[in-house]
Amino acid sequence: ENRPLEAVVFPERQIVSTDDPGVMSSRDEVSLRRSVAWEAGVVPRMEYYLKLRKSMAFRLSARTSGAVCVWRGQEDQEKWTFEESDEGYFRIRSDANSSDHDGADSYLSADVENGRVFMSNAGAHWLLELHGSMHFVAIVERTSGKHLCLNIGAEAKDGACVGLVAYEHTKNFENRHWCLTLVPVEPEK
């Protein structure tokens, strides 16, 4: 039929659209990425620990060598901030290395072809996917759609490497889901 589309309202999210429900505009996609990040608890420029779902004692860590791994502890290398870039994506920053290099090597980056993550001065663009009622997130690289993941087959232990892995439903979710936890801040005196 060639009848005009009517507004579709989803009250639980108060999303109103006059477009075909099966087609999402780029503006809606940006809004959705921001909404997911907000629902996951992301406040840009606040510090977070990114805890591995497989063993939440381990956190994503930016080592001074430029490597990215998991580590058990509460060091500066485990603190991350989300900086909004464009179109609802984020660059993910660690300030642990920036004082040594005048801000260089501060961003989570990806070598998509080799599935490697590392620290650089440019950084990749990432989006968040919310998973489950416990608000775990998948951290997804923009161009490849691959997830930040404890390397397949690796045990959660200090120094275990993190890389990129293609998404497979129900496979390795405990290695590619992260819990965002705000870094406690001392009250002002």
Side-chain angles (χ1 to χ4, degrees), residues 113-131:
E113 289 183 23
N114 295 314
R116 194 172 75 84
V117 293
F118 56 95
M119 300 305 293
S120 78
N121 62 353
H125 295 264
W126 305 88
L127 67 92
L128 301 178
E129 291 179 354
L130 199 54
H131 289 273

Side-chain angles (χ1 to χ4, degrees), residues 34 60 94 98 143:
R34 287 180 178 150
L60 189 66
S94 169
S98 63
T143 59

Side-chain angles (χ1 to χ4, degrees), residues 128-149:
L128 301 178
E129 291 179 354
L130 199 54
H131 289 273
S133 61
M134 300 297 289
H135 282 188
F136 288 103
V137 296
I139 301 171
V140 182
E141 195 277 328
R142 177 183 190 168
T143 59
S144 67
K146 292 182 176 180
H147 291 209
L148 184 67
C149 181

Side-chain angles (χ1 to χ4, degrees), residues 27-165:
R27 185 183 69 209
D28 290 341
E29 290 175 11
V30 171
S31 184
L32 179 62
R33 284 190 286 273
R34 287 180 178 150
S35 176
V36 167
W38 177 258
E39 196 168 330
V42 170
V43 178
R45 294 180 298 281
M46 294 295 292
E47 289 184 326
Y48 291 85
Y49 294 121
L50 295 132
K51 298 177 181 179
L52 182 65
R53 181 176 184 163
K54 183 174 190 172
S55 177
M56 296 212 340
F58 291 93
R59 299 171 176 169
L60 189 66
S61 180
R63 308 316 292 173
T64 55
S65 65
V68 179
C69 60
V70 293
W71 208 267
R72 185 186 345 227
Q74 293 185 349
E75 302 172 22
D76 286 342
Q77 290 92 341
E78 284 84 53
K79 295 177 183 176
W80 299 89
T81 57
F82 291 83
E83 295 179 357
E84 194 166 4
S85 58
D86 62 340
E87 299 180 5
Y89 293 95
F90 293 90
R91 291 192 323 151
I92 303 175
R93 179 181 175 95
S94 169
D95 287 329
N97 296 340
S98 63
S99 61
D100 297 337
H101 301 90
D102 297 326
D105 301 335
S106 298
Y107 292 95
L108 186 61
S109 300
D111 175 353
V112 175
E113 289 183 23
N114 295 314
R116 194 172 75 84
V117 293
F118 56 95
M119 300 305 293
S120 78
N121 62 353
H125 295 264
W126 305 88
L127 67 92
L128 301 178
E129 291 179 354
L130 199 54
H131 289 273
S133 61
M134 300 297 289
H135 282 188
F136 288 103
V137 296
I139 301 171
V140 182
E141 195 277 328
R142 177 183 190 168
T143 59
S144 67
K146 292 182 176 180
H147 291 209
L148 184 67
C149 181
L150 178 66
N151 285 349
I152 304 301
E155 289 298 317
K157 62 180 183 179
D158 286 345
C161 291
V162 174
L164 293 176
V165 66

Side-chain angles (χ1 to χ4, degrees), residues 9-26:
V9 179
F10 303 99
E12 65 276 12
R13 295 280 179 233
Q14 298 185 9
I15 298 171
V16 179
S17 175
T18 57
D19 294 334
D20 179 350
V23 177
M24 189 177 277
S25 72
S26 62

